[in-house]
Every structure is written in structure tokens, then in C-alpha cells.
């Protein structure tokens, strides 16, 4: 059993909100709407795999502070076109904005999300700490029905600090008047969520459905959200 915590922090993307499923649905729709095959994209599978690689690389750069939000959005689909051998100059002007709104409006969450949140919300105040942007993360929370569960939502855009920087965690602690030892961070990313919380003196639950390698030993590890009931 876990010690007595007073606050639970959750990551959003890839932890509660099913980023991969929501993105795949959006890209499939955009592939048809914008006739991307006619613009040189070989097929949807090529688009999706290129997106995964490019988006991961861009977000990794954003998280370490070597690229801005604006640059990430401006270069994402141009880089994807290049990756699949299409001319980046042919990227439709509206594609990135459409992608952002369409994806953030998708409702899909991980299995057991609502059942577990219902259970946890009866015992703890719940909060979000995310490296996402204010507008898109707010839309995801509303579109998925998650928003009502969380008392405090802390984003990297609001604080100016990104996980694993301990200052984003410190911002949450100060906002709540909480001490690190009475909080726990639940997230999927070994670096931003687990190392970040560790750096801030906060216990961690590593949500690891893909059995990824973590360079440090988390306080707890689960493969499904349902397993959180065994901890809390």
C-alpha cells in the first residue's frame, strides 16, 4: 500500500488521453479531406509513421527548449512531407490548424480511465501537469469529459517550464500549498514524468503499457490504469 498522499498529479497525453488513437483518427480524416495522396504522400500508413517519427523528434526538442511552440507547429507537416518524399511546399496552409483542432476535439481515453478517476476522485484531489499547450490541452480535457475531475491544470505554456524541469512541479506545489512528500505523479514518460517528479522530491507511478525502459526505479509501476486501485 502507498503512504498517505494528499494530492495526485496526472500527465495527460499518453496517460489518460489516448494520443496515438486520437491522432490516427485525425490523420486518416485529413488524408482524405486534403487529398494528400495527390500531393505526393504515398499512403496513410506512410503519413502516420512519418508523423510518429517527426512529432516525437519535435516534441523532444521542445521539451529540452531548443525549439519553440511556433516553430514546432510551423515545421511539423513540412518535415513529414519531406520524410515521405513529398514536396514540403505543397503542404496545405490550413493543414496544421485543422490537425490541432480536429485532434484535440477527439474523445478517446485509455481503458478504465473514468472508472479509476471516479474511484480516485472520491479519495484525493486530482490535478494535471502537462507539457502541452493551454488551448489544445483544455480542449482535450473538455472533449474527452476529463475536465470535471481535475482541480488544478498546470501546463508548460503557463509556467514557462517543461517537465522534467522541477520548476513546473514546484509551481503546482506552491499553487496547492502542498509539500512534495504528500504528492505523487502518474505518467508514462520516463524522463519528463518520472525523472521530473523525482527531481522535485515527488513519488512517481510509471504508467507503462508498452513496457518501456526506465533509467531510474519509479516508486510504483503499472501497466494498466486499473492497477492504480491496488496502490491507492
Amino acid at each position: 500500500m502507498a503512504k498517505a498522499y494528499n494530492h495526485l498529479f496526472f500527465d495527460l497525453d499518453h496517460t489518460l488521453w489516448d494520443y496515438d488513437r486520437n491522432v490516427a483518427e485525425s490523420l486518416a480524416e485529413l488524408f482524405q479531406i486534403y487529398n494528400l495522396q495527390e500531393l505526393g504522400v504515398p499512403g496513410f500508413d506512410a503519413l502516420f509513421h512519418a508523423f510518429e517519427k517527426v512529432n516525437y523528434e519535435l516534441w523532444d526538442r521542445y521539451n529540452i527548449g531548443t525549439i519553440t511552440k511556433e516553430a514546432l507547429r510551423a515545421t511539423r507537416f513540412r518535415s513529414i512531407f519531406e520524410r515521405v518524399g513529398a514536396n514540403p511546399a505543397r503542404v496545405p496552409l490550413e493543414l496544421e490548424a485543422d490537425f490541432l483542432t480536429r485532434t484535440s476535439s477527439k474523445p478517446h481515453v485509455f481503458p478504465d480511465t473514468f472508472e479509476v478517476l471516479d474511484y480516485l476522485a472520491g479519495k484525493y484531489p486530482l490535478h494535471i501537469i502537462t507539457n502541452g499547450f493551454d488551448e489544445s490541452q483544455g480542449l482535450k480535457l473538455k472533449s474527452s469529459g476529463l475536465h470535471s475531475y481535475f482541480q488544478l491544470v498546470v501546463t508548460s505554456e503557463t509556467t514557462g517550464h517543461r517537465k522534467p524541469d522541477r520548476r513546473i512541479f514546484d509551481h503546482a506545489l506552491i499553487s496547492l500549498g502542498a509539500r512534495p512528500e504528500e504528492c505523487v505523479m502518474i505518467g508514462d514518460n520516463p524522463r519528463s514524468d518520472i525523472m521530473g517528479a523525482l527531481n522535485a522530491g515527488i513519488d512517481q507511478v510509471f504508467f507503462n503499457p508498452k513496457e518501456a525502459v526506465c533509467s531510474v526505479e519509479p516508486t510504483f509501476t503499472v501497466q494498466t490504469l486499473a492497477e492504480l486501485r491496488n496502490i491507492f
Side-chain angles (χ1 to χ4, degrees):
M1 288 292 292
K3 66 185 183 185
Y5 296 108
N6 292 328
H7 297 276
L8 304 189
F9 298 135
F10 277 89
D11 177 45
L12 181 58
D13 295 336
H14 303 287
T15 298
L16 298 172
W17 193 77
D18 192 341
Y19 187 93
D20 292 340
R21 181 178 176 186
N22 291 316
V23 161
E25 276 194 9
S26 291
L27 289 176
E29 293 164 6
L30 294 169
F31 184 77
Q32 298 296 330
I33 291 168
Y34 289 92
N35 297 312
L36 296 185
Q37 196 150 18
E38 293 182 7
L39 299 180
V41 179
F44 169 74
D45 287 344
L47 174 67
F48 182 71
H49 293 312
F51 177 91
E52 284 189 307
K53 290 185 167 105
V54 167
N55 197 55
Y56 177 84
E57 291 166 2
L58 289 174
W59 272 99
D60 193 47
R61 291 175 60 193
Y62 174 78
N63 286 337
I64 62 175
T66 61
I67 190 173
T68 65
K69 164 188 172 181
E70 292 74 22
L72 186 156
R73 291 180 170 178
T75 60
R76 177 158 42 195
F77 278 98
R78 291 180 65 86
S79 297
I80 289 168
F81 268 48
E82 289 177 350
R83 180 87 54 147
V84 299
N87 182 354
R90 301 189 74 188
V91 173
L93 292 176
E94 307 88 354
L95 185 57
E96 175 69 22
D98 196 347
F99 167 77
L100 289 171
T101 303
R102 186 178 297 270
T103 302
S104 298
S105 300
K106 296 291 183 185
H108 303 300
V109 296
F110 278 91
D112 305 309
T113 291
F114 291 111
E115 294 84 353
V116 167
L117 290 178
D118 284 335
Y119 167 77
L120 293 175
K123 302 178 68 176
Y124 307 92
L126 308 180
H127 317 285
I128 293 284
I129 302 180
T130 172
N131 279 0
F133 305 127
D134 292 351
E135 183 179 2
S136 59
Q137 301 305 79
L139 186 54
K140 290 172 187 176
L141 286 166
K142 288 180 182 176
S143 300
S144 61
L146 291 171
H147 64 288
S148 63
Y149 289 95
F150 298 102
Q151 297 183 16
L152 177 70
V153 177
V154 176
T155 71
S156 57
E157 188 170 21
T158 295
T159 63
H161 306 296
R162 309 172 184 96
K163 297 178 292 183
D165 191 324
R166 68 165 294 157
R167 288 174 291 183
I168 191 171
F169 297 95
D170 291 341
H171 177 95
L173 294 173
I174 291 168
S175 298
L176 296 168
R179 301 184 308 277
E181 60 269 20
E182 59 182 327
C183 302
V184 62
M185 178 72 201
I186 301 157
D188 72 291
N189 191 297
R191 183 172 180 272
S192 60
D193 297 318
I194 306 308
M195 283 296 298
L198 182 65
N199 290 340
I202 295 171
D203 284 355
Q204 327 88 42
V205 178
F206 182 29
F207 174 54
N208 191 19
K210 297 182 178 179
E211 300 186 13
V213 175
C214 190
S215 60
V216 298
E217 183 66 30
T219 315
F220 308 98
T221 299
V222 298
Q223 287 187 284
T224 68
L225 293 176
E227 292 173 63
L228 292 175
R229 287 173 173 265
N230 300 329
I231 299 174
F232 304 108

